[in-house]
Amino acid sequence: MSEILKTSQEQYLNKFRTENDPLILEMEAYSKEHNVPILSWQSAELLEQLIRLNNPKRVLEIGTAIAYSSIRIAKNLKKKGVIHTIEKSEDNIELAKGYIQKSGLEEKINILAGDALNIMPQLKKKYDFIFLDADKEDYKRLFDYSLVLLKKNGVIFIDNLLWHGYAAAKKIPAQYKTSTKQIREFNAIFSNQKSLKTTILPIGDGIGIGIKI
């Protein structure tokens, strides 16, 4: 359930969902049962639409988790399109590999195992589209690396910028105070980035979209 939309709105929108891919539904069920964070289905559908519109040949994802968004991106890439996805959790990588194999998209998805802060500076070729969804304390540094790797007119898509609604809240639970402060600081940096045309949308957990100018 989205922390941004009211329950009634969420329930209303759910009526119009047409997802019938059994693998996507299986992964959503796994995520819910095992408390593995993935994109909300609304955010994932927006991501897919942007992939179709942008038609990227090279996509970089920072934070694979179980490959839910990796698979949804890969499904919408043209014949020569590829996605490189970075993940440091060995457990997540094993789960991701299994789901990727089930999807039949192994040729389009390349997992880069390790810490994105170490991997990204070593990447040489630029990307048409970058999806950032990693540890919040690292968002600023990962964003800086992303700007270097993003082509002109390329798109960056960032999750969790409303952070369960706490980014705009006055009262914040103790366990979320540090991460909320980090997200608020990041939002200010993102919104004032001169090399991007940016917007933050109240979809899912808050989506930031930037186009490199």
Side-chain angles (χ1 to χ4, degrees), residues 92-191:
N92 280 347
I93 289 172
E94 286 307 306
L95 285 167
K97 285 180 177 178
Y99 283 123
I100 291 168
Q101 187 175 20
K102 281 186 178 182
S103 75
L105 294 165
E106 298 98 321
E107 292 184 1
K108 287 190 170 294
I109 304 173
N110 179 25
I111 297 176
L112 306 178
D115 191 324
L117 292 171
N118 297 327
I119 291 173
M120 291 178 74
Q122 300 177 39
L123 298 175
K124 304 302 180 185
K125 291 186 178 181
K126 293 195 173 187
Y127 293 86
D128 307 292
F129 195 106
I130 295 177
F131 172 34
L132 173 56
D133 186 17
D135 293 337
K136 308 315 160 202
E137 64 267 25
D138 295 329
Y139 257 29
K140 173 60 171 63
R141 293 173 67 193
L142 295 171
F143 178 63
D144 289 341
Y145 286 135
S146 296
L147 290 178
V148 174
L149 290 169
L150 188 64
K151 290 182 180 178
K152 185 176 181 180
N153 297 318
V155 176
I156 185 165
F157 185 98
I158 308 174
D159 193 25
N160 303 125
L161 297 193
L162 290 177
W163 198 230
H164 313 294
Y166 297 133
K170 292 183 179 179
K171 294 184 179 180
I172 304 164
Q175 67 268 33
Y176 284 100
K177 285 188 176 180
T178 298
S179 56
T180 298
K181 181 175 182 289
Q182 291 164 343
I183 288 295
R184 286 175 173 174
E185 290 173 350
F186 177 80
N187 286 343
I189 292 168
F190 174 70
S191 298

Side-chain angles (χ1 to χ4, degrees), residues 17 34 44 59 67 72 78 94 110 133 159 190 198 207:
R17 193 182 184 199
H34 297 275
V59 178
R72 296 193 69 149
K78 294 294 179 63
E94 286 307 306
N110 179 25
D133 186 17
D159 193 25
F190 174 70
T198 64
I207 296 296

